[in-house]
Amino acid sequence: MQDTVTLNNGVEMPWFGLGVYQAKEGQEVIQAVKAAIRTGYRSIDTAALYRNEEGVGQAVKEAMEENGLTRDQLFITSKVWNSDQGYESTLQAFETSLSKLNLGYIDLFLVHWPVKGKYKDTWRALEKIYAEGKVRAIGVSNFQIHHLEDLLADAKVVPAVNQVELHPHLTQKELLQYCRSKGIETEAWSPLGQGQLLDHETLKEIAAKYGKTAAQVILRWDLQVGVVTIPKSVRAERIAENADIFDFALSEEDIREIDRLNQNKRFGADPDNFGF
Ligand code: NAD
């Protein structure tokens, strides 16, 4: 399979990347990002909320030098946090993320959550940033179908990506189908259910058949159902384990068995009840 997916504006985004939520600013995030890039990761997912954009930027720069990579070989995502939503404040928040990362441009900038009454103004700001060429693609996160319908009614630019909670207990089939019909790529956050799915018997049984781990099976399932995935770890051995998913393929039957684990169960917040 291809390493990248072509977004609706022609930009190539890696199918696979490193999430750095809760990776501490400073050495923890720096070492994780450097280990990931050394291992072959080309995509890093951060956000203003994670308070580690400076470390991510520093690590990416150091890793580019150490591994002989150029900026265009890497794909960096960040997000505007809820308290910064609105037109002017999003423009400012973007500049802050851009300067903290200090990598010249951001590849993908997302609206972190659909904050009621604000996300359309936030989106207009992202459209401006995009038109100015400061970001290669813009998208949203945690948008349900009704949020997307509402956004698309006024949007000039169709979001390239919708990053949502997605894992074997929350397969998001309807949303995935809807996004696909609009040309919006779906990206999975908490793909491993924050680590809580790794002891699941069915996943362990499937993993044993392929000589893989439950984590690898879930991440491979993401790719085969057409979802970009960004597992998080700060441990070098797990970072390497999670990336080792390109040398096997799950059978159709195993894909369906994993699909059947759906319980519409969230480990994270519900976008319709987030208490904004
Ligand atoms: P995840 O599902 O990626 O699970 C991460 C946890 O699983 C790790 O902390 C570790 O404890 C464990 N783990 C990882 N690999 C392992 C392995 N091979 N073996 C055993 N345990 C392993 O959870 P996540 O961090 O919530 O999600 C991934 C990324 O998605 C985040 O880092 C962040 O970038 C993004 N995210 C986005 C949003 C959003 O609102 N847009 C919300 C949450 C997370």
Side-chain angles (χ1 to χ4, degrees):
M1 93 176 277
Q2 297 276 326
D3 292 345
T4 58
V5 52
T6 307
L7 302 177
N8 61 13
N9 64 352
V11 165
E12 298 287 327
M13 176 178 191
W15 279 109
F16 182 81
L18 181 75
V20 295
Y21 180 44
Q22 290 174 332
K24 287 189 204 74
E25 179 62 301
Q27 279 312 304
E28 185 170 273
V29 79
I30 291 171
Q31 293 312 324
V33 170
K34 287 173 76 173
I37 294 174
R38 211 177 294 127
T39 307
Y41 287 64
R42 295 294 176 261
S43 169
I44 310 291
D45 181 83
T46 185
L49 175 77
Y50 306 168
R51 297 183 188 280
N52 57 19
E53 289 169 306
E54 287 181 21
V56 168
Q58 184 188 327
V60 167
K61 271 205 204 125
E62 289 177 14
M64 285 197 298
E65 209 168 295
E66 279 170 23
N67 299 281
L69 297 167
T70 48
R71 174 69 185 86
D72 61 324
Q73 290 175 288
L74 291 147
F75 191 98
I76 312 301
T77 301
S78 195
K79 317 180 189 88
V80 54
W81 183 239
N82 301 340
S83 51
D84 285 322
Q85 287 204 32
Y87 185 74
E88 289 297 337
S89 40
T90 294
L91 293 177
Q92 267 175 34
F94 175 79
E95 291 302 328
T96 303
S97 284
L98 189 65
S99 94
K100 283 189 171 169
L101 281 160
N102 195 20
L103 293 169
Y105 60 87
I106 292 174
D107 292 277
L108 176 64
F109 199 62
L110 304 177
V111 182
H112 208 143
W113 288 86
V115 176
K116 245 188 213 156
K118 288 201 174 163
Y119 63 76
K120 284 193 177 187
D121 289 336
T122 306
W123 188 248
R124 278 199 299 118
L126 262 59
E127 288 177 330
K128 179 176 194 292
I129 294 159
Y130 177 62
E132 289 170 352
K134 292 175 172 171
V135 59
R136 295 176 68 228
I138 52 176
V140 295
S141 177
N142 299 302
F143 275 47
Q144 311 268 51
I145 292 175
H146 68 90
H147 297 118
L148 288 166
E149 289 283 0
D150 185 42
L151 189 76
L152 290 174
D154 296 321
K156 290 201 202 84
V157 178
V158 175
V161 169
N162 186 20
Q163 184 186 111
V164 295
E165 182 176 353
L166 191 155
H167 44 67
H169 280 348
L170 182 68
T171 55
Q172 301 269 31
K173 291 298 177 198
E174 203 187 334
L175 181 59
L176 189 55
Q177 193 54 42
Y178 175 84
C179 286
R180 201 162 275 157
S181 75
K182 301 290 178 193
I184 302 168
E185 209 57 48
T186 300
E187 179 176 22
W189 64 253
S190 292
L192 307 174
Q194 302 171 357
Q196 295 176 70
L197 290 172
L198 303 179
D199 285 331
H200 195 287
E201 279 310 320
T202 305
L203 294 168
K204 285 203 295 192
E205 276 165 29
I206 295 174
K209 281 203 292 194
Y210 295 89
K212 289 286 179 180
T213 64
Q216 290 167 332
V217 162
I218 297 174
L219 298 169
R220 182 70 208 183
W221 168 78
D222 284 332
L223 304 187
Q224 289 186 232
V225 299
V227 166
V228 174
T229 193
I230 45 165
K232 181 242 174 179
S233 179
V234 292
R235 297 203 206 170
E237 72 281 8
R238 286 177 172 174
I239 288 172
E241 175 189 327
N242 292 345
D244 187 14
I245 55 171
F246 293 93
D247 62 348
F248 79 113
L250 296 165
S251 68
E252 281 304 313
E253 203 180 303
D254 288 330
I255 297 277
R256 279 196 298 274
E257 184 149 11
I258 299 171
D259 285 341
R260 282 196 293 271
L261 299 179
N262 184 44
Q263 301 177 356
N264 294 324
K265 177 187 160 119
R266 292 180 187 276
F267 294 103
D270 181 342
D272 285 325
N273 286 302
F274 195 40
F276 301 120

